[in-house]
């Protein structure tokens, strides 16, 4: 199995996310990022329901959801219903060229999807030096090592998700280097070379 590679020159820890933080009023906040299609299989329900526990323990935390999809209205409604309108921001569509700055603006990345056969966004976050709170399901635990470059939780475990996010925030500085290092073996260059070797064989 050869994964799709990530570009470690585009997604890197030194980038500044200040323009994104300013645009969305995130200065002074801890930012949890989610990037992906807003659809049922991405299981955003778990992330949204984890927010009250996260903000109770770590006030001024904001969940930034980047992307669009068929469940956008449903999740808007869920956020309103839970009284989280100030704590969850939906950006809608973000151009591919802008994405690296969104990772740079985040303190941690979170994904509760039960659908990932790879999860390229996980590699993009790791390459950006951001720890990942990820569902312990399908491909995600192949990249996310609990306590090293992120924290794992069961996909429908709201409390476990909140705890994983809080661990990533608390340990963001020590996880930054290992997160970046863990993504480098999956660079486009290395994955392409592996693909060439398969064809050569």
């Amino acid at each position: 199995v050869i994964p799709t590679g990530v570009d470690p020159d585009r997604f890197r820890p030194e980038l500044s996310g200040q323009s994104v933080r300013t645009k969305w009023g995130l200065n002074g906040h801890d930012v949890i990022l989610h990037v992906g299609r807003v659809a049922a299989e991405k299981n955003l329900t778990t992330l949204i329901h984890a927010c009250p526990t996260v903000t109770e323990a770590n006030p001024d935390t904001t969940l930034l959801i980047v992307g669009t999809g068929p469940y956008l209205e449903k999740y808007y409604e869920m956020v309103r219903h839970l009284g989280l309108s100030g704590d969850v921001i939906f950006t809608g569509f973000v151009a591919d060229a802008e994405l690296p700055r969104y990772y740079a603006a985040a303190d941690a990345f979170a994904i509760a999807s039960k659908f990932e056969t790879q999860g390229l966004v996980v590699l993009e976050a790791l390459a950006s030096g951001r720890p990942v709170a990820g569902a312990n399901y399908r491909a995600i635990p192949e990249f996310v090592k609990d306590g090293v470059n992120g924290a794992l939780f069961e996909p429908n475990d709201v409390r476990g998700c909140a705890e994983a996010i809080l661990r990533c925030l608390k340990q963001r500085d020590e996880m930054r280097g290992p997160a970046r290092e863990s993504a480098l073996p999956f660079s486009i260059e290395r994955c392409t070379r592996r693909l060439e070797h398969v064809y050569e064989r």
Side-chain angles (χ1 to χ4, degrees):
V1 175
I2 300 169
T4 307
V6 66
D7 185 347
D9 295 327
R10 275 192 75 214
F11 299 95
R12 59 187 199 277
E14 315 83 69
L15 274 183
S16 169
Q18 190 53 53
S19 58
V20 171
R21 281 182 164 264
T22 302
K23 177 178 180 176
W24 296 103
L26 296 169
N27 291 320
H29 288 246
D30 280 342
V31 178
I32 309 300
L33 180 68
H34 179 274
V35 176
R37 204 168 115 79
V38 183
E41 67 273 7
K42 295 296 182 180
N43 194 26
L44 282 167
T45 302
T46 298
L47 290 189
I48 291 167
H49 277 91
C51 277
T53 308
V54 172
T55 53
E56 187 183 331
N58 197 56
D60 295 325
T61 301
T62 303
L63 174 61
L64 190 66
I65 296 174
V66 173
T68 188
Y71 266 50
L72 203 53
E73 276 304 316
K74 179 186 157 106
Y75 287 129
Y76 270 146
E77 196 49 53
M78 185 183 291
V79 165
R80 273 198 297 269
H81 179 70
L82 292 169
L84 295 171
S85 296
D87 300 322
V88 181
I89 295 173
F90 295 90
T91 68
F93 173 78
V94 168
D96 196 50
E98 289 291 307
L99 272 181
R101 281 195 281 274
Y102 276 79
Y103 287 100
D107 295 286
F109 187 85
I111 181 167
S113 171
K114 296 187 271 189
F115 201 70
E116 301 309 307
T117 49
Q118 175 176 347
L120 192 56
V121 290
V122 172
L123 280 179
E124 289 171 352
L126 292 171
S128 303
R130 300 305 183 258
V132 175
N136 190 15
Y137 204 79
R138 289 205 175 178
I140 295 170
E142 291 186 29
F143 300 121
V144 180
K145 302 304 168 207
D146 195 80
V148 178
N149 61 1
L152 294 168
F153 59 91
E154 294 311 307
N156 295 325
D157 180 0
V158 171
R159 177 158 285 283
C161 175
E163 287 169 358
I165 288 170
L166 289 166
R167 280 171 64 202
C168 287
L169 288 177
K170 191 176 177 186
Q171 299 178 291
R172 70 190 98 173
D173 292 338
E174 55 258 50
M175 286 181 173
R176 177 180 292 251
R180 171 72 177 172
E181 285 302 312
S182 67
L184 295 180
F186 302 102
S187 69
I188 290 172
E189 190 182 344
R190 289 195 195 181
C191 289
T192 305
R193 208 174 297 136
R194 284 168 63 187
L195 191 63
E196 286 176 333
H197 289 328
V198 171
Y199 277 99
E200 281 166 5
R201 235 185 13 252

